[in-house]
Amino acid sequence: MLDFSFYRKEFPILKNYIYLNNAATAPMPLRTKKAIENWLNKYVYEGNIPWEECLQLEEETRKIIADFLNAQKEEICFKRNTSEGILTVLNLINFDKNDNIIVAKDNFPANFLPYLKYDKVEKRYISILKGDVLKQIKKVFNKKTKLVALDWVHFLSGYQIPLKEISDFCKKYNCYLLIDGIQGIGALKIDLKEINIDFLVCGSGKWLFPPQGIGILYINKEILKKLKKSCVGWLGYEWRDFNKIFTKKKLKNSAAFLEEGTKNYLGLVGLKENVRFLMEIGIENIENYLLSLTNYLITRLKELFFEIFERNKGSGIIAAKRKDKDSQWLYQELINRNFQISLRENYLRISPHFYNTQKEIDNLIETIILLMK
Ligand SMILES: Cc1ncc(COP(=O)(O)O)c(C=O)c1O
């Protein structure tokens, strides 16, 4: 197994907890805290930060994100969170009255609840937890299907949907694909040149580390021209000279036309530093490590007769329960012993990141054995 113990010094929290809760919120690396503090000092000691400096931060962050996803800079825009990305996408598509949307009813609510109130179009439901997602899509798809909206990695089970097959299908039948990537990006490799997604949304705070309140919306440049361009804010236009406020401006011809006003610069500083950090370690290394660590965890839990959710290709998340044991009790006992995990739908959700060690997993297993004696 790869060894990332060198990087544990970035996470002082690891001295106090066995932190296995990255699908909820990850801890912030020290280097990110430092970068944010530097920008905070600008607010404290400089007040007005020159526009060019803000623009440079924006563009550097955009470039790093684009490189990380193997996309183009022009395809990336910043949003506050996953939900804002999803709502933005719904406003961009020209739906006809008879169109339909295919959505997983067990997506995380951020990618499910917005469609409930979206009564312009028919909704057709599938389920990620039932598995064989492409087969289910094919069953309800017709030529009026305009959008398929899915979570890449399921927030509870850790199931990774087959993105390539689904995206090839949507492309072939000319239907938009919207993916919520928040439970995969930062843990698993994604290559947007290889996989034809139209819209990818992702907030930070989980596998990408905090701060929260900053997120990404990727829009495939092939479809940018086709989208509705109503409701554009003032920074959706090209600004070069603030001495010419009233002169007509050109609409940006990139996804950035959706960035309506002044940005969350502290969030951008954090996002840039975090993605740079993940790139330094290498996302392929992180994916390989997480898959072997979670597979090891599954094997150990199965030895203890835990039921594990089906994960398909897997991810950084696993969900486990013992039918004859109260999960709430077990969860609370583990929390009392300084483990950080989540309880979701009566399953223990365990989500390590690259900084966790096999020793910590063994420690978790030994604690469970003691508790269940
Ligand atoms: C799959 C998924 N999407 C979205 C979110 C959060 O959405 P937002 O970034 O809009 O708060 C979560 C949070 O747990 C999630 O698991």
Side-chain angles (χ1 to χ4, degrees):
M1 256 201 223
L2 289 153
D3 180 7
F4 299 114
S5 47
F6 170 75
Y7 293 106
R8 282 175 70 88
K9 63 181 189 301
E10 288 286 348
F11 303 96
I13 191 176
L14 303 179
K15 291 194 184 115
N16 303 327
Y17 295 101
I18 296 202
Y19 200 89
L20 301 164
N21 206 14
N22 295 283
T25 314
M28 181 185 282
L30 282 178
R31 60 174 79 190
T32 307
K33 174 176 175 268
K34 190 160 171 234
I36 291 175
E37 277 167 357
N38 288 343
W39 195 274
L40 268 177
N41 280 333
K42 290 181 201 281
Y43 284 134
V44 175
Y45 298 109
E46 292 173 37
N48 182 40
I49 303 170
W51 172 250
E52 291 70 27
E53 217 174 301
C54 296
L55 209 59
Q56 187 183 345
L57 168 66
E58 248 175 80
E59 293 318 307
E60 282 174 7
T61 312
R62 210 185 296 283
K63 174 81 173 73
I64 283 179
I65 301 284
D67 290 348
F68 187 54
L69 304 173
N70 202 13
Q72 290 177 27
K73 224 167 126 240
E74 293 68 28
E75 297 176 307
I76 306 294
C77 84
F78 299 113
K79 290 281 144 195
R80 281 178 299 171
N81 46 43
T82 322
S83 301
E84 195 183 24
I86 291 168
L87 297 177
T88 305
V89 169
L90 287 179
N91 275 320
L92 286 170
I93 300 176
N94 274 308
F95 285 105
D96 291 334
K97 203 168 88 243
N98 297 321
D99 287 339
N100 65 69
I101 297 176
I102 297 178
V103 58
K105 58 178 193 272
D106 44 19
N107 277 343
F108 185 79
N111 198 15
F112 172 68
L113 292 180
Y115 308 96
L116 288 188
K117 285 277 174 207
Y118 202 71
D119 40 21
K120 288 186 203 164
V121 292
E122 182 199 344
K123 269 80 63 178
R124 298 183 167 199
Y125 297 109
I126 61 166
S127 159
I128 295 179
L129 291 177
K130 269 196 189 151
D132 215 340
V133 176
L134 183 56
K135 193 168 161 202
Q136 291 185 63
I137 293 174
K138 286 180 180 167
K139 225 172 171 179
V140 293
F141 187 92
N142 69 4
K143 53 181 190 306
K144 297 306 270 176
T145 303
K146 197 160 242 174
L147 175 70
V148 174
L150 295 169
D151 292 355
W152 178 24
V153 171
H154 195 268
F155 73 95
L156 167 63
S157 65
Y159 190 96
Q160 186 191 148
I161 62 166
L163 264 189
K164 174 90 177 99
E165 289 87 336
I166 294 171
S167 65
D168 286 349
F169 176 84
C170 289
K171 174 97 177 148
K172 183 166 170 202
Y173 293 102
N174 216 6
C175 148
Y176 291 124
L177 178 62
L178 162 61
I179 295 294
D180 174 347
I182 196 171
Q183 292 293 9
I185 296 175
L188 306 174
K189 186 176 175 211
I190 188 162
D191 180 338
L192 293 174
K193 293 248 155 53
E194 199 186 297
I195 297 180
N196 219 297
I197 296 173
D198 300 292
F199 306 101
L200 176 67
V201 289
C202 178
S204 60
K206 299 184 190 293
W207 307 92
L208 282 181
F209 305 120
Q212 293 156 320
I214 185 78
I216 309 154
L217 163 59
Y218 157 90
I219 304 180
N220 190 316
K221 76 171 191 314
E222 311 243 314
I223 62 163
L224 258 179
K225 282 198 199 79
K226 288 197 239 162
L227 302 171
K228 251 196 312 187
K229 296 198 173 63
S230 51
C231 299
V232 177
W234 75 288
L235 287 182
Y237 291 82
E238 298 281 2
W239 283 85
R240 295 223 159 75
D241 187 351
F242 284 102
N243 201 22
K244 292 191 177 141
I245 295 276
F246 298 115
T247 313
K248 211 172 158 208
K249 310 280 180 301
K250 258 179 58 193
L251 189 67
K252 288 182 180 166
N253 65 356
S254 64
F257 87 89
L258 292 160
E259 292 165 2
E260 55 294 286
T262 312
K263 294 190 177 57
N264 170 4
Y265 295 109
L266 290 171
L268 286 177
V269 170
L271 182 62
K272 179 178 140 195
E273 199 59 38
N274 287 335
V275 173
R276 199 189 258 162
F277 184 30
L278 291 166
M279 286 173 89
E280 181 183 317
I281 299 162
I283 192 66
E284 265 170 310
N285 293 335
I286 295 174
E287 170 171 333
N288 290 337
Y289 182 73
L290 280 181
L291 292 180
S292 44
L293 197 65
T294 48
N295 284 334
Y296 174 71
L297 173 59
I298 290 173
T299 309
R300 302 268 352 238
L301 284 169
K302 280 188 172 161
E303 285 164 12
L304 303 181
F305 305 105
F306 272 82
E307 202 179 273
I308 313 284
F309 252 118
E310 158 62 28
R311 305 194 313 153
N312 196 22
K313 282 158 77 183
S315 62
I317 302 176
I318 79 139
K321 74 171 175 194
R322 269 265 306 244
K323 273 208 183 100
D324 56 339
K325 298 278 175 213
D326 180 3
S327 299
Q328 172 77 50
W329 165 80
L330 192 50
Y331 164 77
Q332 197 53 54
E333 291 296 326
L334 288 169
I335 295 290
N336 294 346
R337 284 160 182 77
N338 292 342
F339 288 91
Q340 290 267 353
I341 57 169
S342 296
L343 182 67
R344 295 282 184 273
E345 298 295 311
N346 242 10
Y347 278 81
L348 304 179
R349 185 182 66 180
I350 306 164
S351 48
H353 213 322
F354 67 85
Y355 50 70
N356 290 113
T357 59
Q358 187 167 326
K359 208 165 145 214
E360 288 177 317
I361 299 296
D362 288 335
N363 192 336
L364 172 72
I365 296 293
E366 274 140 35
T367 309
I368 292 176
I369 293 173
L370 279 178
L371 283 168
M372 292 198 314
K373 255 189 189 154

